[in-house]
Amino acid sequence: DPGQSMAIPHTHSDGYWGFILVGNHQHWELSEPDQGPILKARSSWYQPADVPHADLCVGPEPCIILVMFDKRADFIPVQ
């Protein structure tokens, strides 16, 4: 169900801006005590490079997110 999908914990070699276009989304760094607030359309965040984090689309509709990397885009899973 795209409205309940999760990105496993991961990092990126470069930082990026994330912009919620559609849906209800949570984005958090693994060092945080919980999964953070639910972000709605028109919300944004900056994710620094090399910081482990995860994402969850909390539904009920799918999430559409625009991601703009500082340089290169990659996805490095973490334990």
Side-chain angles (χ1 to χ4, degrees), residues 18-74:
F19 301 91
I20 309 297
L21 302 178
V22 175
N24 298 304
H25 182 81
Q26 285 180 295
H27 174 87
W28 67 97
E29 294 180 358
L30 298 187
S31 62
E32 295 177 359
D34 60 32
Q35 293 182 340
I38 294 176
L39 304 172
K40 300 188 178 296
R42 296 186 301 261
S43 297
S44 64
W45 73 91
Y46 183 77
Q47 179 60 51
D50 301 315
V51 177
H53 59 281
D55 299 272
L56 174 67
C57 181
V58 297
E61 68 272 10
C63 294
I64 299 174
I65 302 165
L66 172 65
V67 177
M68 298 179 64
F69 280 86
D70 293 338
K71 293 183 183 174
R72 62 186 169 218
D74 60 8

